[in-house]
Amino acid sequence: MRFVREQSLRVVHPHVVAPAGWAAEDEQVLLTMELVRGGDVARLLGDYGALPLSFAAVLVDQLLDALTAVHSHGIVHRDVKPSNLLLEPTGRNRPVLRLADFGIAAVLGEPRLTSAGLAVGSPGYVAPERLLGAPPDVREDIYGVGVVCCRLLTGQPPSPEVLRSLPKPLRALVSAMCAQSPDDRPESAAIAREEWRNAVERAGAEPIDPADPHAIEVFEHVAPLPEGYGPDGPLTPPAPTAPSAPAAEPSRRARRALSVAGALVLAAGLTTSIILSTKDHSSSVSQRLGHTTTASSTTTRTTTGTTRTTTSTTTSTTSTTTSSTTTSDTSAPAEDNLLSDPGAEKVPAAWTSFGSGVVSQVNAPRSGTKALRITSSAEQENSAGATTKPAHSPTVASTTYHAACWVQSLDAVGAILQIQEYTADWKRVADPAPSPKVVLDPGEWNRVSVTYTARQSGNQLPVTVFSNNLRDGAGALFVDDCSLTAG
């Protein structure tokens, strides 16, 4: 809002998302801007923890490129932080970062709108001089980039210990960007970008390899448009109606309420993805391991960023799909199931670790005698799971496949199930198809499922179950009764 009032320039740059237009009435302001569909860097850090240097190097380079363009227009962003760094859904390919949220941006040389003695910004990312009332300066944004570098590479905010843990070629530059005095930081984003590229080259960062099965993935975070809608609105214009007597013009307050309500409904229709997870109380890990839990019959509805629990007696259906298809919660017959049992007496060779996952077994299954147990070897929370591929029956083009696993934890962690299509020689055909994250109720079995339509025939469909909330010595995921069925 401040950005709209303070300047009329739109920064056109491939790594910048700025308002394209706006409208206002009284205190209500509506901004329009591009839709970026891959989430943000804050969520990526929550999913993976500290990122590989090869991946972080690209993000920082693009961020500094964006700031170079912003600063060339005489604008200081003043709120550089992971949640304002949006991502395009590029899968395992080279990431594409978009700098967003100019809500507290300032134009150099313009009158300031902040009252004397009041500093705005995000704690941990605000440059020290701004807290002392200094006027806007591009080196404020350089400080934010330094903090972001530490978060990307270590998962931690800057400190002497964190800075010493960075790769030696990067240490001096990141320390300079995080300097308390702006005079000790690089003078501009362009200079910082040149120094960053040189430091990354000396550090020996490898190019991003999309074929690496453990590569960082940035997938689609926005649900498809509702049926009958395209990017420009309804696909079929409404039928004309006969003219009628003019209605009384609504009051200003009523017009404002209607416009806001309409915007909220449209936003909900474009961005909401719902997943239903049915709980199964037939066998509880906590009960078998000596813990006590209270069974309940609830259905958890997880929307984008929100979990709501409502009372329900439903125990027969669940919908966790990338194509809004409802599937049965009963396990597929053994002859139709393309996956090996994760709870077999011996861990099947087809089930291997994913990310930082450590795969073992525990005598606390949903059925049978064992369940797969997944823990993490990482010090920070990141993706830890198990992956497998069908032992037979390669894909048939245009066939829909339904994957499901029953998952449990003693903690309120999230679980995701995904399918990805590969050729027989392990070349990726499509980006992963993940389910939305299901927040597990401790001690209860939750069914997580996802649907995928094969693009080609003769390919493999690895199925992966994982959590982004496990770390070494804290938390475990239990998996049983997995299935992959066709049709």
Side-chain angles (χ1 to χ4, degrees):
M1 207 173 298
R2 294 168 56 92
F3 176 72
V4 172
R5 295 205 311 267
E6 289 181 356
Q7 58 94 39
S8 59
L9 293 173
R10 182 189 177 198
V11 181
V12 179
H13 189 273
H15 297 300
V16 175
V17 180
W22 63 282
E25 182 175 339
D26 295 339
E27 73 278 7
Q28 302 292 329
V29 178
L30 176 67
L31 301 178
T32 60
M33 59 188 68
E34 296 176 70
L35 178 62
V36 184
R37 310 177 70 93
D40 56 49
V41 172
R43 176 171 292 188
L44 194 72
L45 289 171
D47 288 346
Y48 289 97
L51 303 177
L53 174 58
S54 58
F55 198 94
V58 174
L59 295 181
V60 174
D61 181 75
Q62 294 177 357
L63 173 56
L64 289 169
D65 189 20
L67 287 172
T68 299
V70 170
H71 294 167
S72 71
H73 285 79
I75 303 167
V76 183
H77 187 277
R78 301 204 301 171
D79 202 16
V80 176
K81 60 181 180 180
S83 60
N84 286 340
L85 308 179
L86 307 185
L87 296 167
E88 298 288 356
T90 53
R92 295 183 181 180
N93 295 303
R94 181 183 173 89
V96 175
L97 175 146
R98 308 290 301 277
L99 175 64
D101 194 349
F102 288 77
I104 62 172
V107 179
L108 296 173
E110 292 284 333
R112 299 175 63 188
L113 299 181
T114 303
S115 301
L118 176 63
V120 293
S122 301
Y125 297 90
V126 179
E129 64 271 18
R130 197 195 312 168
L131 299 176
L132 300 176
D137 188 307
V138 297
R139 292 172 295 182
E140 291 182 49
D141 291 343
I142 302 299
Y143 181 87
V145 175
V147 179
V148 168
C149 285
C150 290
R151 291 285 187 182
L152 295 178
L153 294 169
T154 71
Q156 302 294 323
S159 68
E161 294 76 15
V162 167
L163 292 170
R164 283 195 294 269
S165 70
L166 297 175
K168 189 174 181 180
L170 306 179
R171 202 174 300 162
L173 175 57
V174 177
S175 297
M177 288 193 287
C178 295
Q180 294 294 299
S181 171
D183 294 335
D184 295 331
R185 300 176 206 145
E187 294 182 3
S188 69
I191 292 174
R193 186 185 184 205
E194 182 179 356
E195 294 181 0
W196 175 258
R197 287 186 160 189
N198 292 335
V200 167
E201 184 178 357
R202 294 196 305 272
E206 296 290 335
I208 294 174
D209 180 10
D212 182 357
H214 303 302
I216 302 296
E217 297 181 6
V218 182
F219 49 80
E220 183 86 32
H221 282 69
V222 179
L225 292 172
E227 185 177 355
Y229 282 80
D232 299 321
L235 299 177
T236 304
T241 58
S244 58
E249 183 178 354
S251 66
R252 173 178 289 189
R253 181 176 298 274
R255 292 199 310 270
R256 183 168 66 241
L258 287 172
S259 64
V260 172
L264 290 175
V265 170
L266 178 60
L270 294 179
T271 63
T272 302
S273 173
I274 295 179
I275 165 178
L276 303 179
S277 175
T278 301
K279 308 296 183 293
D280 174 33
H281 313 292
S282 60
S283 178
S284 164
V285 167
S286 57
Q287 292 168 344
R288 292 175 181 265
L289 297 182
H291 297 269
T292 59
T293 61
T294 302
S296 62
S297 56
T298 58
T299 299
T300 300
R301 296 173 180 263
T302 304
T303 62
T304 306
T306 308
T307 300
R308 300 177 183 173
T309 302
T310 57
T311 302
S312 172
T313 57
T314 302
T315 57
S316 61
T317 61
T318 180
S319 169
T320 317
T321 126
T322 57
S323 58
S324 302
T325 302
T326 302
T327 59
S328 169
D329 76 340
T330 55
S331 298
E335 62 271 16
D336 297 332
N337 188 359
L338 306 180
L339 296 184
S340 56
D341 180 12
E345 285 298 318
K346 185 177 182 181
V347 179
W351 285 91
T352 58
S353 61
F354 170 81
S356 64
V358 177
V359 176
S360 60
Q361 284 188 313
V362 64
N363 295 321
R366 175 177 175 268
S367 64
T369 59
K370 293 180 182 293
L372 201 68
R373 180 174 184 264
I374 301 169
T375 56
S376 175
S377 61
E379 294 182 0
Q380 304 293 329
E381 291 185 355
N382 62 13
S383 294
T387 188
T388 189
K389 59 182 176 63
H392 56 285
S393 299
T395 58
V396 176
S398 301
T399 297
T400 299
Y401 292 84
H402 307 276
C405 280
W406 288 89
V407 186
Q408 190 181 69
S409 177
L410 301 183
D411 306 291
V413 302
I416 299 172
L417 188 70
Q418 76 176 25
I419 300 178
Q420 189 165 14
E421 185 173 354
Y422 286 87
T423 62
D425 57 351
W426 290 102
K427 294 181 179 178
R428 187 179 63 175
V429 175
D431 288 342
S435 71
K437 181 187 291 186
V438 176
V439 179
L440 305 178
D441 284 348
E444 296 183 1
W445 285 101
N446 299 249
R447 184 177 184 270
V448 186
S449 63
V450 67
T451 298
Y452 177 80
T453 300
R455 297 191 179 184
Q456 302 171 0
S457 294
N459 288 339
Q460 305 183 71
L461 284 183
V463 175
T464 304
V465 57
F466 65 98
S467 173
N468 301 321
N469 307 118
L470 306 180
R471 57 185 174 84
D472 188 18
L477 210 62
F478 303 92
V479 183
D480 203 3
D481 294 335
C482 291
S483 64
L484 178 66
T485 56

